[in-house]
């Protein structure tokens, strides 16, 4: 006869076997569904790049290279780019050799998103009401003779080729000095604890040069900025910043307004627009990667009504 | 039944007459047969949402197809096909609003406003959900594929790799495999 404990042990075994077989069934169903290119392609549009990467990290079958040297998730990312990328986006975002397709998809998502200042470097600069596209200067201890202003950088959107247009809309400038334009992409400078920072000052030349990558190319134009008040061009390799007049320059004076900037990396030029009107090519000789940036210094007052808003715009036709 | 009102006989239909009228209005029907041979009958006008079913018909002009041929859905089991047919019938009465990307909301309820479709997806367990994804893909039923893939995506949104493994019951990577996978996607961890 079978004892009560033997019955219980048998029952436990059956439960474990049932649980395991249920788990195996679940695995088999998921296996059949998820490890399928067509189905992944249907799921992927609902996920962002971070989530796609996490999916790739879950399993060797999803995340490891297959016959054509791409993982399943990488292949899905490639197809998503191919299906949705416009010609303009393709020109602006060529793929670097060996670059991950998910990484490129991430860049494409950024290209379609609003521009934001993801790095605020210096003590006296902050977002306006938490709006990451709009900054203001907040301290009043800037010394015009010796002081260094603060800088906001849009380093999460790196321009590598083609044409890019952005506007810096400045509200009131009689209390602040503004410079807006492009610089080489740098990362993590907002975490260095700097009280002040500017691309226009040679103090930071050495550590900035350590950020160099092969994607910067050979141009010595590591930054190029438009001085909002007078309209001159500040540019250089950081070691020897130059401040030069240019033939078609116009400043805004103490009045706020919209500075439009067209970066054309095929021609190597930075063209300035003033309140929608084309002034002209401010600088040529640019090549490699850049990102948008603005430097501001509060000259006097509390800066409450002074701010700079960054927005992506359509490529002007003239 | 009839009523005499002011000398005029008004003939009204019986329930059977109602059904016959509705059936006639619904047009021809078709049977979809599961892998194990179980048939499910539904109006052809509902079934043709499946491109696979449409393509299986000999008649090129879909609107002229008075006698659609039954189709064997060889890759779909009975319980799943039953749910698919339920979806097709309801879609014919009240179509699912298109799910557009990028999503305006990152919750399932935020994206799918129609209660019947919410209940349809939430009323199935995980294996059935994935079976429905596979069936929708095989039968080329785009709205059902969008709906079920959206639900799967919502389960994965905001989850780490480890959490996804638990949800989907995927075996863990070895330490070497994980290190290599992270090396391949280093850019995201550098942000």
């Amino acid at each position: 006869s079978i004892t009560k404990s033997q019955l219980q042990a048998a029952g436990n075994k059956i439960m474990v076997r049932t649980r395991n077989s249920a788990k195996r069934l679940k695995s088999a169903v998921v296996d059949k569904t998820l490890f399928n290119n067509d189905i992944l392609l249907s799921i992927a549009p609902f996920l962002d790049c971070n989530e796609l990467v996490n999916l790739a990290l879950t399993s060797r079958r999803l995340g490891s290279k297959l016959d054509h040297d791409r993982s399943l998730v990488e292949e899905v990312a490639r197809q998503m780019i191919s299906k949705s990328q416009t010609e303009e986006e393709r020109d602006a975002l060529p793929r670097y050799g060996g670059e991950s397709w998910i990484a490129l998809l991430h860049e494409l998502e950024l290209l379609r998103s609003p521009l934001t200042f993801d790095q605020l470097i210096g003590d006296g600069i902050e977002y306006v009401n938490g709006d990451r596209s709009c900054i203001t200067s907040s301290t009043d201890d800037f010394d015009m003779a010796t002081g260094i202003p603060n800088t906001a950088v849009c380093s999460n959107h790196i321009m590598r080729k083609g044409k890019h247009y952005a506007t810096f809309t400045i509200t009131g400038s009689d209390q602040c000095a503004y410079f807006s334009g492009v610089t080489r992409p740098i990362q993590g400078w907002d975490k260095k604890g700097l009280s002040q920072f500017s691309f226009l000052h040679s103090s930071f030349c050495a550590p900035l040069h350590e950020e160099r990558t092969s994607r910067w190319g050979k141009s010595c134009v590591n930054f190029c900025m438009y001085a909002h008040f007078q309209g001159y061009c500040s540019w250089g390799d950081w070691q020897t910043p130059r401040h030069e007049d240019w033939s078609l320059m116009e400043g805004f004076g103490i009045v706020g307004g919209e500075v439009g900037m067209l970066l054309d990396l095929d021609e190597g030029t930075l063209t300035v627009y003033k309140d929608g009107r084309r002034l002209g090519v401010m600088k040529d000789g640019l090549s490699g990667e850049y990102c948008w940036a603005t430097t501001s210094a509060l000259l006097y007052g509390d800066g409450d009504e002074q701010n700079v808003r960054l927005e992506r715009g359509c490529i002007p036709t003239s | 039944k009839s009523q005499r009102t002011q000398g005029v006989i008004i003939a009204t239909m019986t329930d059977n007459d109602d059904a016959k009228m509705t059936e006639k209005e619904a047009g021809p029907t078709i049977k979809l047969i599961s892998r194990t041979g179980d048939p499910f009958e539904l109006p052809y006008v509902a079934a043709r949402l499946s491109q696979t079913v449409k393509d299986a018909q000999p008649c090129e002009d879909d609107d002229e197809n008075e006698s659609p041929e039954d189709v064997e859905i060889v890759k779909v089991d009975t319980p799943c096909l039953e749910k698919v047919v339920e979806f097709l019938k309801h879609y014919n009465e009240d179509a699912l609003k298109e799910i557009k990307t990028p999503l305006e909301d990152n919750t399932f309820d935020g994206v799918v406003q129609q209660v019947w479709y919410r209940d349809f997806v939430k009323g199935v367990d995980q294996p059935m959900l994935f079976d429905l994804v596979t069936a929708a893909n095989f039968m080329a039923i785009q709205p059902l594929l969008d709906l079920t893939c959206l639900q799967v995506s919502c389960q994965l949104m905001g989850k780490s790799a480890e959490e996804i493994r638990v949800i989907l019951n995927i075996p863990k990577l070895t330490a070497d495999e994980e290190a290599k996978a992270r090396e391949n996607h280093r850019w995201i961890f550098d942000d």
Side-chain angles (χ1 to χ4, degrees):
Chain A
S1 61
I2 301 171
T3 67
K4 193 177 171 184
S5 60
Q6 280 174 323
L7 262 177
Q8 195 157 5
N12 287 344
K13 264 191 190 169
I14 290 168
M15 274 175 59
V16 167
R17 229 183 3 248
T18 307
R19 269 202 301 273
N20 283 345
S21 62
K23 270 178 105 172
R24 277 198 297 276
L25 172 64
K26 189 177 171 186
S27 288
V29 167
V30 167
D31 206 65
K32 180 180 65 172
T33 307
L34 213 54
F35 304 135
N36 173 300
N37 186 71
D38 290 343
I39 289 174
L40 262 187
L41 200 54
S42 299
I43 292 173
F46 301 125
L47 302 174
D48 65 25
C49 280
N50 289 5
E51 286 155 353
L52 275 180
V53 169
N54 280 329
L55 195 56
L57 288 173
T58 58
S59 147
R60 193 162 51 87
R61 286 185 63 185
L62 285 172
S64 295
K65 292 181 181 180
L66 304 173
D67 321 325
H68 36 252
D69 212 30
R70 280 191 289 272
S71 71
L72 203 50
V73 175
E74 277 277 290
E75 174 57 22
V76 164
R78 186 195 69 78
Q79 289 183 36
M80 283 171 66
I81 293 168
S82 173
K83 274 170 71 169
S84 69
Q85 204 177 30
T86 64
E87 199 175 315
E88 202 173 82
E89 286 171 339
R90 202 173 303 117
D91 289 341
L93 207 55
R95 182 173 173 245
Y96 291 125
E99 184 175 19
S100 145
W101 285 103
I102 301 181
L104 190 65
L105 184 62
H106 176 63
E107 292 296 323
L108 186 59
E109 282 179 2
L110 288 173
L111 189 61
R112 293 170 176 172
S113 307
L115 294 173
T116 56
F117 293 115
D118 66 306
Q119 290 189 65
L120 302 185
I121 313 171
D123 286 342
I125 192 165
E126 59 191 28
Y127 295 119
V128 176
N129 298 324
D131 182 349
R132 295 170 67 90
S133 297
C134 191
I135 55 101
T136 187
S137 285
S138 58
T139 63
D140 59 359
D141 61 355
F142 178 71
D143 180 335
M144 270 196 286
T146 59
I148 300 170
N150 302 294
T151 299
V153 185
C154 173
S155 59
N156 58 352
H157 172 55
I158 297 172
M159 299 172 285
R160 46 176 89 171
K161 214 173 180 307
K163 293 181 181 178
H164 304 265
Y165 185 77
T167 58
F168 296 82
T169 304
I170 293 159
T171 306
S173 69
D174 57 331
Q175 297 174 0
C176 288
Y178 290 108
F179 296 80
S180 300
V182 296
T183 183
R184 296 297 188 191
I186 56 172
Q187 302 296 338
W189 278 68
D190 53 335
K191 296 177 177 55
K192 289 183 186 287
L194 297 170
S195 57
Q196 292 168 318
F197 175 77
S198 168
F199 295 109
L200 284 73
H201 204 280
S202 58
S203 310
F204 303 97
C205 172
L208 281 170
H209 273 292
E210 285 174 16
E211 300 279 334
R212 168 174 277 281
T213 71
S214 58
R215 294 177 182 180
W216 289 13
K218 295 182 178 157
S219 166
C220 64
V221 183
N222 287 340
F223 79 93
C224 183
M225 297 191 131
Y226 170 83
H228 184 265
F229 188 84
Q230 300 96 329
Y232 62 78
C233 173
S234 292
W235 69 277
D237 62 358
W238 295 318
Q239 188 160 4
T240 330
R242 298 168 206 221
H243 310 286
E244 296 174 345
D245 291 350
W246 50 291
S247 58
L248 298 164
M249 79 179 213
E250 282 180 34
F252 282 76
I254 61 168
V255 176
E258 180 190 278
V259 178
M261 307 205 103
L262 174 64
L263 176 67
D264 185 339
L265 286 169
D266 297 329
E267 298 293 322
T269 57
L270 187 63
T271 304
V272 176
Y273 293 72
K274 184 183 172 202
D275 289 329
R277 178 171 56 90
R278 185 178 186 275
L279 295 185
V281 173
M282 182 171 76
K283 186 80 189 85
D284 59 10
L286 288 83
S287 71
E289 289 186 339
Y290 292 96
C291 63
W292 300 111
T294 190
T295 285
S296 70
L298 180 64
L299 305 179
Y300 61 90
D302 55 22
D304 269 357
E305 301 193 5
Q306 317 302 317
N307 60 64
V308 181
R309 173 173 295 282
L310 173 65
E311 284 172 305
R312 193 194 306 284
C314 296
I315 310 291
T317 49
S318 61
Chain B
K1 286 192 276 193
S2 65
Q3 285 180 312
R4 189 185 291 274
T5 306
Q6 295 183 348
V8 175
I9 297 173
I10 300 169
T12 57
M13 291 189 291
T14 62
D15 286 344
N16 283 342
D17 288 337
D18 272 341
K20 282 179 191 166
M21 248 328 245
T22 304
E23 192 182 300
K24 190 176 175 186
E25 284 170 346
T29 61
I30 185 175
K31 287 197 185 78
L32 302 183
I33 302 160
S34 76
R35 181 162 59 184
T36 45
D38 295 306
F40 294 91
E41 189 166 5
L42 71 163
Y44 178 65
V45 67
R48 67 183 186 181
L49 184 66
S50 160
Q51 193 62 44
T52 304
V53 170
K54 261 179 92 167
D55 291 347
Q57 301 305 310
C59 180
E60 282 186 12
D61 188 344
D62 209 40
D63 291 330
E64 303 280 322
N65 192 359
E66 299 277 332
S67 307
E69 287 192 7
D70 296 341
V71 180
E72 291 182 5
I73 313 294
V74 298
K75 289 197 175 181
V76 182
D77 289 332
T78 296
C80 182
L81 188 59
E82 186 177 10
K83 293 296 290 182
V84 171
V85 168
E86 184 188 342
F87 177 92
L88 290 171
K89 282 178 176 173
H90 185 84
Y91 188 94
N92 190 43
E93 304 292 326
D94 178 25
L96 173 66
K97 290 189 178 51
E98 191 188 348
I99 298 170
K100 292 182 181 167
T101 54
L103 298 176
E104 290 175 357
D105 196 303
N106 61 358
T107 64
F108 185 81
D109 287 357
V111 176
V112 179
Q113 299 288 315
Q114 290 156 287
V115 174
W116 189 92
Y117 291 104
R118 281 187 198 168
D119 292 345
F120 177 81
V121 163
K122 289 183 179 180
V124 301
D125 59 18
Q126 189 88 307
M128 178 57 79
L129 176 65
F130 279 86
D131 275 342
L132 283 170
V133 171
T134 308
N137 184 52
F138 175 71
M139 295 177 70
I141 306 171
Q142 194 60 48
L144 180 60
L145 186 61
D146 289 345
L147 184 70
T148 50
C149 284
L150 174 66
Q151 174 67 341
V152 171
S153 306
C154 288
Q155 291 178 356
L156 306 182
M157 280 178 197
K159 300 288 191 300
S160 67
E162 183 54 40
E163 286 167 329
I164 293 173
R165 281 193 208 107
V166 170
I167 291 168
L168 301 181
N169 200 37
I170 295 175
K172 205 171 171 168
L173 294 173
T174 62
D176 279 346
E177 284 170 342
E178 177 136 3
K180 195 164 183 190
R182 287 186 183 277
E183 178 69 26
N184 287 338
H185 303 290
R186 194 193 312 172
W187 62 272
I188 198 171
F189 301 102
D190 287 343
D191 280 350

